[in-house]
Amino acid sequence: MNKFSSKLLLVFLLSSVFSCQKKEIVSQKEKNYESKIDSILKLMTLEEKVGQMNQYNGFWDATGPTPKEGQAAIKYEHLKKGLVGSMLNVKGVKEVRALQKIAVEETRLGIPLLFGFDVVHGYKTISPIPLAEAASWDLEAIKKSAEIAAAEAAATGLNWTFAPMVDISRDARWGRVMEGAGEDPYLGSQIAMARVQGFQGNDLSNEFTLAACAKHFAAYGFAEAGRDYNTVDISHNTLHNVILPPFKATVDAGVRTFMNSFNELDGIPATGNIHLQKEILKNEWKFDGFIVSDWGSMGEMIAHGYAEDLKDAALKAANAGSDMDMESSGYVAHLVTLVKENKVKESDIDEAVRRILRIKFELGLFENPYKYCDEEREAATIGKTEFHEGVLDMAKKSIVLLKNQKNLLPLAKEGQKIAVIGALADDKTSPLGSWRIGADDNTAVSVLEGLKNYPGNTVVYEKGADVALGEPKFTKETKINTTDKSGFPKAVQAAKNADVVVMVLGEHGLQSGEGRSRTDLGLPGVQQELLEAVFNVNPNIVLVLANGRPLTIEWADQNIPAILETWQLGTQSGHAIAQVLYGDYNPSGKLPMTFPRNVGQVPIYYNYKNTGRPVPNEPESVFWSHYIDSENTPLYPFGHGLSYTTFSYSNLSLDSKSFTKNGKITVSFDLKNTGNVDGKEVAQLYIRDIVASVTRPVRELKGFELVSLKAGETKRISFTIDEKTIAFYSANQKWEAEPGNFKLFIGGSSYTSLETDFKFN
Ligand code: BGC
């Protein structure tokens, strides 16, 4: 009998009896591991329990020599003593196996480790950044993309992803908007569920799935002034009506873990926040997975001025229901003492450990701790052709056609001279975006490479200018953009001689993401000047935007005939862009986030409140809610996106003008493809609650459908409206539908004007 089986003998006996009895059970929800967890808890010392609540970053080359001194040596000793429950950022089966072996074979109880990683939009084969995927409004495609990410990552030994990020944000200055689904709670909730289902599948013990993690709980996306990690100060109303719905949706979809956040809420850092973690998430929503802290967020409560020292921080985090400590070492250092001092109840520790062990059981780690560790499978899985096909499909679906005057797009395939300008056209790294730590630099298909598939035209490339100096990884260089304009003359010359100019401009792949807040949302560096210089000699420009957040491109909107938003589309980026430029794929993306005209408008979002002084009847009035130097309206509204065909909405009707409790009404309309090519349109339903116990937004998305229509085809589309559709967090501090009058809007963006009204009695 080897060490592994002797250590976990009891657990295994229980486990096999259990699995014989329950073989037929597939759904993880139905599995009941509680009696086994009871047995393990009985075997554990207090130190070992606290160990399960401790997570360390991958700290040394596990397959190399054992660390002798420093942090790594301490962590290694902790690992051997069973004082580590999970590790993050460990790459590849070899490393994972080596660490798992220590946990399973060298610790007293042999409890397997969880291996977490930020598989945010792919592991090695990278799909579009999450904000881009959200622009597809295609829930099936988004789910599939998460499935691909999980299958590839799980083959490298991982069993847990720190995704999806479901933070709603209305502030494009915040670099992490690239990681979420945009500004809307309804769209955000649908996408959050799709991502959880994609990562986790129906059965967590399946070795192609990962446990998902809804983050960052909560309100992290509302950092003041869009500055990452900054103070959050929002109302209860916003918390419940805007921020919490996507989190609740992940619980409904069965997400197994949550991550708390760096920010404070109501003066209390999320990691020490009882209201969020215990009252809302665990008690009200009955979430039975576990909560991991964000990186070092427990220790950061000291800087927040909420904890005196790390011991105090551990006390506050534990009592607030934060189950696992990521990289603060607060629990491992102080929790045993805190229990002995009767400041933390051992029963609370048991509860946290129970939650963590539950997920380990559900993942099947007690049956086989090495189930994700198969080097042959790893080699055969990474970069599979079907993954590349999948991320290409997702990339095409994520592109948004913002403007297309005189049908400049799609480009003709033959006989054209095309000048391609911009450093990002030749960039094989930026399309991977932020959060792609499993992927290698220079592995994305560039725009220039994608265009090579269309040899009927002549392509001349000129960089013109850089986006940013050097690789702005973790340095101040993120803020420094080149002022070098020496490439302008060649770019201008190339444009002069071309029929069409394709300018690929935007942000470097690491100019958005964590810690990458910006105060200027224009094209970085001298790219705007480059655009204007080229425009002066040839206005026939297709602007291909590559960026991780909405940008302020008002000049381009006024002057450039065609603008294509391509975000950061991942490994297959260049192919997706080329296929859309040439019309082999008809774009159907819609913005998941409002594009402001200028930074002064931020935060700007479509579901704003009317205020007491909305647009006045007398236009000369000054005393209404507006700017004297800018429009109130955005440059491009939420839900906006064009196609190579056109669509019309008509014959809007309701089967009844009112409904009562437990009732419903159906709204129907004709959607017609009025152009000459087949296309897809996202039909959107918005409502407005005219009077309520708390003020309600002027419009709220309440349904959408991605509809495929052949050229000339008409389809009748319907949405059902019931109490759930109109419910909100009311003055009674609960979700309810209030009687009254409602407006309803149907169309292809949040600015649609086709409307009717109904009543809820
Ligand atoms: C981020 C998290 C991430 C964690 C681990 C933190 O800085 O806020 O979203 O999961 O690091 O990489």
Side-chain angles (χ1 to χ4, degrees), residues 88 118 162 176 215-216 259 262 294-295 326 435 514:
L88 77 150
D118 292 279
F162 304 128
R176 296 195 83 167
K215 71 187 187 186
H216 305 84
M259 185 184 290
F262 293 125
D294 202 347
W295 180 292
M326 182 194 287
W435 286 120
E514 186 175 349

Side-chain angles (χ1 to χ4, degrees), residues 4-5 25 53 67 112 139 161 229 375 384 435 471 487 725:
F4 168 44
S5 46
I25 291 175
M53 299 166 71
L139 301 175
T161 174
Y229 319 121
E375 269 156 300
K384 266 187 177 176
W435 286 120
E471 179 75 342
T725 322

